[in-house]
Amino acid sequence: MKLVILGANGKTGKQLVKLAIKGGHSVTAVTRNPDALVHHKNVRAIKADVTSSVELAKIFIGQDAVLSTLGNINSKLHLIERSSAAIVSAMQSAGIKRLVVELGFGGAKAAKLSKPARVLNNLVLGKVLTDQRKGVEFISKSNLDWTIVYPTILSNGPLTEKFRVVEASEKIGMNHKIS
């Protein structure tokens, strides 16, 4: 498959690029710093403004799917809300239907966090999660075939090969981690 990976230079994005290469996919890696990406014959690194539907539409032409690992702790940028609008518009222009987005777990409307996790989450990430929820609302109203993944606390350990999907009714605590 021909995959576009947005946020390809972040911690999760770099891992996603490696997994895509390992799976034999062709990757267009979109990042602010293309020189910092892994050099591989199946990776084309591009610098782009992920909030510009015009820039993204050009990149998306001829691709099969878009995967986003975008994130930002500066809530004033409204990055997820703005990029979601640009991504949906660009995908529609390019005729791509499949979108997979990874966001912070606390941003899921159905997330049931333990009390300590909820307090910490709201204290540290309150406005960032509001930005995520606005982006999700935009994506969910689109005609795209979308999936939004909310991993629990991300760690920098070895790749988690066995995991389980948490039911909406299950409380998540500070000990739930995945890498």
Side-chain angles (χ1 to χ4, degrees):
M1 285 186 88
K2 294 179 182 177
L3 305 175
V4 175
I5 299 177
L6 304 172
N9 214 24
K11 290 179 182 179
T12 305
K14 284 180 182 178
Q15 298 306 315
L16 189 56
V17 169
K18 287 179 187 177
L19 288 171
I21 292 168
K22 188 176 178 181
H25 301 287
S26 173
V27 176
T28 298
V30 179
T31 179
R32 288 176 288 171
N33 186 5
D35 296 332
L37 278 168
V38 63
H39 296 286
H40 189 277
K41 63 181 174 131
N42 288 351
V43 177
R44 177 176 66 133
I46 296 177
K47 182 176 183 173
D49 176 0
V50 296
T51 65
S52 169
S53 60
V54 173
E55 281 187 47
L56 292 178
K58 291 174 187 173
I59 294 167
F60 291 174
I61 293 171
Q63 302 296 313
D64 297 314
V66 176
L67 295 84
S68 174
T69 63
L70 294 171
N72 191 318
I73 60 169
N74 184 348
S75 61
K76 292 178 184 176
L77 295 176
H78 303 280
L79 178 68
I80 303 304
E81 179 183 9
R82 292 171 54 227
S83 65
S84 295
I87 291 164
V88 169
S89 175
M91 288 179 70
Q92 290 169 336
S93 293
I96 301 173
K97 289 288 187 190
R98 188 69 179 120
L99 173 64
V100 179
V101 177
E102 178 259 339
L103 293 169
F105 181 78
K109 280 186 178 179
K112 292 197 177 199
L113 303 174
S114 66
K115 187 171 183 175
R118 187 175 54 252
V119 169
L120 183 63
N121 211 33
N122 289 335
L123 196 61
V124 176
L125 298 173
K127 290 181 181 178
V128 171
L129 298 178
T130 299
D131 177 39
Q132 283 188 17
R133 289 181 185 121
K134 287 181 180 179
V136 167
E137 185 177 327
F138 194 86
I139 291 166
S140 66
K141 290 180 180 177
S142 76
N143 66 343
L144 300 176
D145 175 15
W146 55 267
T147 300
I148 299 176
V149 179
Y150 297 98
T152 55
I153 298 170
L154 295 171
S155 69
N156 291 323
L159 179 66
T160 303
E161 295 188 26
K162 288 188 176 185
F163 57 90
R164 65 185 178 87
V165 175
V166 176
E167 298 299 325
S169 61
E170 187 175 342
K171 280 194 177 179
I172 300 299
M174 299 304 289
N175 61 336
H176 290 88
K177 296 181 181 179
I178 190 168
S179 58

